[in-house]
């Protein structure tokens, strides 16, 4: 046997082995340093099928910060505590993803969210305490008193189950109790696979729910200076800036998130918008929140990143005057309704008589719009969509009340 | 005494004129191709079940692998039993070319699953095993070699070795990229990479320079080691599949470690044996007793010729 033949065989074999080691070594450690082989395989193996079946899912994930930080498919899709498992082509994944899957890495954020009205109170606004555990009710009542121990919304009965499922729940499921004991899904605001902070900062994301006559925040924002500037200068904003280092250079025009949640210029980030809200504006008759003073300080701190203190105080003072005026108008209308009930001129279940709708529209649409418009810089909404409408409906209400009294033989 | 009797009995069997077919390397190559195409039918069925035969072209190799072995078996019988050469030659050419095109087309389809989207090393790792369809191309070339190159020549033997080498190089690429998908989570996943690199290196030499029979002995030792690696790999893959979660055993086999993939090693050892066996007469005789393989060859061939003459 010649040495040359053995030499060539061994050297060429070793060259191949060396090449294999070098190629493998060049692979990012974040891809290979995982607790199990399944975790290593997850993203690529998942993409093999999903690049054909639901390509946008893979593409969205590839663009996400999760992908940049090597969070793979299984990191999110593995069953969290209490979740139903299912076998999926060689992987064990969760049947339904919830906030329970996000909290593994984002627990402090989940805790902030849990204390907000986006959590259980949002669900209770439709269903009351139905589906909630006593612990969930107590927890939410601790941080949002009176928001959960309430009956289901009276409109759910006359409007019916399909309307509630495809209507109300589409927004109020942001606080839906999950079978794993957690509440809500973060993807309502952050989307599923982009997991995007940019998306959460867009006004249109909040506008999925905060729109329409009953809570017309997006319409008011679009009319406000903030909204006008956002429309004009959106391309100049760094909507995807890191929340921990966000400054007014990134977001020199505010969106909903900037004022209500972001930690701009070193302020504390919060996933509980209540931290900066001093009034229950959505209430029939608005009252101060328990943390009124602190919340107002918090919000004014955000305002001072762009505005002078004098301007901020003026806006707040004017808005609180509008709020007080709106309360007076609602209370006046309420007195008429209470009088009708007391005198027996109005009876039956809720929403069974035209005057029920007139009163409901007065506070639920116009009253809220007036108050939101005042705090958010929406002049037209304070006036024409708010106070003018309240005046109109008050007149109609009075007329309907007189009619009812006549029908029932009262003077 | 007893040992001598056993050896004598074996010699008689080996040298029996009715066993002359067993001395025909051309037939062994035909049987190798036929058997491999048949096995590929099962392999393709498992592999493409992963995505439920999502695209119709995925059925092409399956149907081809079902039909081709039957046709080949028929023409092999016609050729070796009834001496009808033409059907064996023409059907073989047809199947050979078809197999080559199916293999090359398969590579393009496999790469399209991911690689053509991103063209990164990562996407190559996670593409459908891009080198796998080349098994068809290799088998197709074997059918052509068997018909276009005179058998028992040095050229024929070296073509067979080249195709066996191609198989081992394919094993090297596939075991590297497939196990990279696991991040080489178990150190044992490096065994087939190293092993197939050695096989590639050792089979390369007879193609590029003259070798001795002692070197071919060493080649056979390396080949036997490949066989052991394949069996070990089959066990590891099956073990992994039985442990991992899955709705059913079928689900585990389809989505888990491919159980048949490691068996490519012993399979290719068979082809390499044929090639090395065929190259032996073209390698200078060593001094008596210095080559196991040479001695075995001389022993079988001499006896066969002696019996045939007798």
């Amino acid at each position: 046997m010649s040495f040359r033949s053995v030499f060539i065989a061994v050297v060429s074999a070793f060259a191949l082995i060396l090449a294999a080691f070098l190629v493998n070594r060049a692979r990012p450690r974040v891809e290979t340093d995982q607790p199990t082989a399944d975790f290593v395989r997850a993203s690529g193996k998942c993409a093999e099928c999903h690049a054909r079946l639901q390509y946008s899912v893979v593409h969205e994930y590839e663009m996400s910060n999760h992908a940049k930080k090597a969070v793979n498919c299984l990191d999110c899709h593995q069953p969290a505590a209490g979740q139903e498992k299912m076998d999926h082509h060689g992987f064990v994944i969760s049947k339904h993803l919830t906030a329970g899957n996000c909290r593994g890495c984002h627990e402090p954020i989940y805790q902030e969210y849990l204390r907000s009205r986006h959590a259980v109170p949002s669900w209770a606004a439709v269903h009351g305490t139905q589906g909630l555990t006593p612990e969930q009710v107590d927890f939410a009542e601790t941080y949002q008193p009176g928001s959960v121990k309430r009956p289901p919304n009276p409109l759910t009965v006359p409007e019916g189950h399909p309307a509630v499922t495809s209507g109300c729940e589409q927004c109020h499921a942001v606080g839906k109790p999950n079978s794993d004991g957690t509440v809500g899904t973060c993807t309502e605001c952050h989307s599923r696979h982009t997991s995007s902070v940019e998306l959460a900062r867009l006004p249109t994301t909040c506008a999925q729910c905060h729109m329409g006559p009953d809570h017309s925040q997006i319409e008011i924002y679009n009319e406000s200076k903030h909204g006008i500037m956002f429309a004009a200068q959106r391309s100049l904003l760094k909507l995807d800036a890191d929340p921990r280092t966000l400054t007014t250079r990134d977001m020199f025009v505010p969106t909903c998130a900037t004022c209500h949640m972001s930690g701009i210029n070193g302020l504390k980030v919060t996933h509980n918008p209540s931290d900066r809200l001093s009034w229950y504006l959505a209430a029939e008759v608005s009252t101060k929140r328990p943390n009124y003073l602190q919340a107002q300080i918090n919000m004014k701190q955000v305002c001072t990143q762009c505005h002078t203190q004098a301007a901020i105080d003026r806006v707040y003072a004017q808005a609180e005057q509008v709020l007080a005026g709106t309360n007076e108008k609602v209370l006046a209308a309420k007195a008429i309704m209470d009088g009708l009930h007391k005198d027996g001129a109005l009876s039956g279940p809720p929403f069974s008589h035209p005057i029920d709708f007139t009163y409901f529209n007065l506070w639920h649409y116009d009253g809220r719009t007036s108050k939101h418009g005042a705090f958010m810089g929406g002049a037209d909404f304070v006036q024409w969509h708010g106070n003018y409408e309240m005046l109109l409906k008050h007149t109609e209400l009075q007329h309907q009340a007189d009619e009812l009294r006549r029908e029932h033989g009262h003077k | 005494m007893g040992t001598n009797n056993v050896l004598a009995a074996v010699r008689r069997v080996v040298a029996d004129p009715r066993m002359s077919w067993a001395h025909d390397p051309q037939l062994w190559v035909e049987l190798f191709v036929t058997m491999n195409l048949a096995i590929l039918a099962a392999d393709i069925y498992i592999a493409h079940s992963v995505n439920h035969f999502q695209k119709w072209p995925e059925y092409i190799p399956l149907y081809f692998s079902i039909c081709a072995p039957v046709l080949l078996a028929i023409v092999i019988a016609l050729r070796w039993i009834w001496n009808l050469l033409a059907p064996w030659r023409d059907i073989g050419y047809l199947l050979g070319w078809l197999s080559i095109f199916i293999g090359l087309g398969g590579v393009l389809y496999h790469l399209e699953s991911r690689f053509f989207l991103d063209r990164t090393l990562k996407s190559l790792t996670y593409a459908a095993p891009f080198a796998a369809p080349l098994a068809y191309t290799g088998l197709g070339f074997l059918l052509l070699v068997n018909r276009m190159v005179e058998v028992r020549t040095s050229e024929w033997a070296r073509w067979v070795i080249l195709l066996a080498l191609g198989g081992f190089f394919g094993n090297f690429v596939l075991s590297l990229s497939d196990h990279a998908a696991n991040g080489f989570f178990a150190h044992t996943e490096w065994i087939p990479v190293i092993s197939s690199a050695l096989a590639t290196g050792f089979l390369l030499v007879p193609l590029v320079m003259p070798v001795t029979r002692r070197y071919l002995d060493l080649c056979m030792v390396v080949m036997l080691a490949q066989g052991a690696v394949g069996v070990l790999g089959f066990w590891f893959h099956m073990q992994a599949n039985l442990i991992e979660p899955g709705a059913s055993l079928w689900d585990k086999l389809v989505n888990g470690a491919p159980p048949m993939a490691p068996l490519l090693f012993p399979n290719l050892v068979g082809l390499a044996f044929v090639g090395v066996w065929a190259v032996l007469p073209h390698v200078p005789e060593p001094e008596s007793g210095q080559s196991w393989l040479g001695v075995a060859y001389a022993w079988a061939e001499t006896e066969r010729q002696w019996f045939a003459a007798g």
Side-chain angles (χ1 to χ4, degrees):
Chain A
M1 175 170 23
S2 77
F3 168 73
R4 194 168 50 168
S5 56
V6 175
F7 179 80
I8 292 174
V10 172
V11 167
S12 43
F14 183 73
L16 283 175
I17 294 166
L18 190 65
F21 279 124
L22 288 175
V23 167
N24 187 61
R25 188 171 169 270
R27 299 189 71 207
R29 291 185 70 81
V30 287
E31 274 183 27
T32 54
D33 284 359
Q34 296 282 353
T36 68
D38 277 351
F39 273 88
V40 186
R41 287 194 310 148
S43 294
K45 191 73 180 170
C46 304
E48 266 184 39
C49 291
H50 288 285
R52 287 193 293 277
L53 299 176
Q54 290 92 24
Y55 178 66
S56 64
V57 166
V58 179
H59 187 57
E60 284 176 348
Y61 162 75
E62 284 173 338
M63 293 189 299
S64 74
N65 273 339
H66 278 160
K68 286 173 193 156
K69 294 183 178 177
V71 175
N72 66 28
C73 306
L74 206 56
D75 279 314
C76 298
H77 283 271
Q78 65 176 319
Q83 288 183 341
E84 196 177 348
K85 300 172 183 177
M86 62 179 272
D87 289 319
H88 181 72
H89 302 304
F91 293 98
V92 178
I93 60 170
S94 172
K95 205 164 187 176
H96 302 289
L97 264 63
T98 68
N101 300 85
C102 308
R103 69 184 295 193
C105 296
H106 304 286
E107 180 68 23
I109 290 174
Y110 176 64
Q111 289 300 330
E112 286 173 355
Y113 152 83
L114 267 190
R115 288 155 174 77
S116 76
R117 292 175 81 85
H118 276 156
V120 166
S122 172
W123 181 255
V126 179
H127 295 289
T129 55
Q130 286 173 17
L132 298 169
T133 65
E135 292 77 18
Q136 286 170 332
V137 172
D138 290 344
F139 184 91
E141 281 287 331
T142 304
Y143 295 96
Q144 301 289 348
S147 65
V148 180
K149 286 181 177 170
R150 56 189 286 180
N153 192 303
L155 278 169
T156 56
V157 176
E159 288 191 3
H161 180 68
V164 172
T165 304
S166 299
C168 315
E169 282 186 11
Q170 293 305 304
C171 281
H172 288 270
V174 70
K176 184 181 181 179
N178 302 310
S179 57
D180 60 7
T182 61
V183 174
T185 50
C186 308
T187 54
E188 296 282 349
C189 302
H190 290 276
S191 87
R192 295 186 177 187
H193 294 96
T194 46
S195 311
S196 168
V197 70
E198 179 177 357
L199 186 78
R201 282 185 183 140
L202 283 172
T204 41
T205 301
C206 307
Q208 293 173 100
C209 299
H210 293 273
M211 48 79 72
D214 53 341
H215 30 50
S216 47
Q217 284 97 337
I218 190 61
E219 291 90 342
I220 296 168
Y221 173 81
N222 285 339
E223 191 210 48
S224 73
K225 274 285 188 294
H226 290 161
I228 301 294
M229 289 173 70
F230 175 77
Q233 298 180 306
R234 175 181 166 170
S235 61
L236 303 174
L237 300 174
K238 288 184 185 167
L239 282 157
D240 61 347
D242 188 332
R244 290 163 297 189
T245 55
L246 184 75
T247 69
T248 36
R249 290 183 69 82
D250 303 313
M251 292 293 296
F252 52 88
V253 175
T255 64
C256 315
T258 315
C259 300
H260 291 281
M261 302 175 90
S262 295
I264 199 158
N265 291 339
L267 295 179
K268 181 182 174 295
V269 186
T270 180
H271 276 72
N272 179 5
S274 298
D275 282 350
R276 298 177 188 174
L277 295 174
S278 44
W279 290 88
Y280 287 124
L281 294 188
E284 191 173 358
V285 176
S286 290
T287 55
K288 289 178 178 173
R289 292 180 184 238
N291 60 336
Y292 169 83
L293 271 177
Q294 184 60 54
Q296 200 161 95
I297 290 167
N298 292 345
M299 182 60 99
K300 284 180 174 178
Q301 264 192 322
V302 180
C303 303
T304 54
Q305 306 307 311
C306 301
H307 301 283
T308 62
Q309 191 64 48
I312 298 163
D313 290 341
R314 178 174 50 79
V315 167
Y316 259 87
Q318 286 180 351
E320 289 190 339
Q321 284 172 4
V322 171
L323 182 146
T326 303
N327 274 353
E328 282 176 23
K329 288 162 190 166
V330 172
L331 283 169
K334 191 171 188 301
I336 295 171
M337 294 297 286
D338 289 345
L340 289 172
H341 283 292
K342 186 180 172 188
D343 298 342
L346 183 62
S347 58
F351 299 105
S352 58
H353 195 280
I355 198 170
D356 291 328
F357 292 90
T358 307
Y359 174 67
F360 184 72
N361 290 347
L362 185 148
W363 76 262
H364 191 252
Y365 287 176
D366 313 326
R368 282 180 173 186
T369 302
S370 163
K371 291 178 280 188
H372 285 135
F375 278 96
M376 291 174 62
D380 199 49
F381 289 85
V382 177
Q383 162 55 21
W384 291 112
H385 300 294
N387 277 273
Y388 174 81
E389 289 290 335
M390 276 196 289
L391 182 62
L392 173 68
K393 291 194 178 69
H394 185 90
T395 308
E396 287 173 0
L397 188 88
Q398 188 63 65
H399 181 73
Q400 288 169 333
D402 293 344
E403 288 276 314
L404 280 170
R405 287 185 184 281
R406 266 198 297 278
E407 282 175 18
H408 287 82
H410 299 285
K411 286 193 176 178
Chain B
M1 186 70 179
T3 309
N4 287 342
N5 288 340
V6 172
L7 276 174
V10 173
R11 275 181 195 172
R12 271 196 295 278
V13 171
V14 170
D16 191 306
R18 284 173 296 179
M19 290 294 288
S20 62
W21 61 270
H23 297 261
D24 187 346
Q26 195 178 31
L27 174 63
W28 281 112
V29 167
E30 291 289 314
L31 292 175
F32 176 85
V33 174
T34 308
M35 183 191 72
N36 270 270
L37 284 173
I39 291 172
L40 275 172
D43 193 43
I44 292 290
Y45 184 70
I46 293 175
H48 289 184
S49 290
V50 169
N51 60 340
H52 310 289
F53 286 86
Q54 188 74 21
K55 294 182 176 178
W56 67 264
E58 292 180 47
Y59 284 104
I60 293 174
L62 178 68
Y63 293 144
F64 179 76
S65 298
I66 291 170
C67 300
V70 177
L71 284 172
L72 276 176
I74 292 169
V75 296
I76 287 169
L78 290 174
R79 160 85 167 74
W80 269 272
I81 298 173
W82 291 288
N83 287 321
L84 287 170
L85 193 68
W88 168 79
R89 182 193 62 213
D90 297 340
I91 298 289
Y93 272 131
L94 176 69
L95 294 177
W97 281 112
L98 280 175
S99 193
I100 288 167
F101 287 127
I102 286 171
L104 296 177
V107 172
L108 295 179
Y109 269 114
H110 277 210
L111 287 176
E112 194 189 10
S113 77
R114 187 150 168 100
F115 181 69
F116 288 145
L117 290 174
D118 299 325
R119 294 187 187 87
T120 64
L121 184 62
K122 180 177 177 178
S123 55
L124 197 62
T125 302
Y126 292 112
F130 65 98
L134 290 177
Y136 282 99
T137 308
L139 293 172
F141 278 135
L142 275 173
L143 288 176
L144 297 191
V145 163
N146 238 10
R147 284 154 182 79
M148 298 174 80
V149 181
E150 194 179 341
V151 75
R152 293 183 189 279
T153 60
S154 170
E155 186 191 356
W156 185 89
R158 286 188 160 82
W159 277 118
V160 173
I161 291 177
L162 174 69
L163 290 166
L165 178 149
F168 277 112
F169 185 69
N171 275 0
F172 171 77
V173 174
L174 284 176
S175 58
L176 178 64
S177 60
D178 282 7
H179 291 167
N182 273 354
F184 285 93
F185 199 76
H187 292 310
T188 48
E189 291 177 39
W190 280 107
I191 294 175
V193 179
I194 296 167
S195 164
S196 54
L198 278 170
T200 307
F202 272 83
L203 288 180
L204 179 69
V205 175
L207 302 177
V208 296
M209 61 177 290
V211 291
T212 63
R213 291 196 174 185
R214 287 292 277 171
Y215 177 79
L216 293 178
D217 285 347
L218 192 58
C219 268
M220 295 317 295
V221 172
V222 172
M223 288 302 116
L224 288 172
Q226 306 300 313
V229 165
V231 174
L232 188 68
F234 176 73
W235 165 244
F236 279 144
H237 279 211
M238 283 304 289
Q239 196 183 32
N241 287 335
L242 293 175
I243 291 170
E244 75 171 15
S248 62
L249 181 61
W250 174 249
D251 186 52
K252 293 175 184 183
L253 292 178
V254 167
N255 298 300
M260 293 171 76
L263 295 179
L264 264 172
F265 282 81
N267 180 44
L268 285 167
V269 169
L271 186 64
F273 264 132
V274 174
V276 171
W277 191 258
V279 90
L280 267 174
H282 309 285
V283 172
E285 292 278 354
E287 288 177 27
S288 177
Q290 284 199 351
S291 165
W292 309 318
L293 205 57
V295 169
Y297 180 81
W299 180 72
E301 287 299 296
T302 307
E303 293 298 309
R304 187 182 71 85
Q305 285 158 9
W306 182 82
F307 270 90

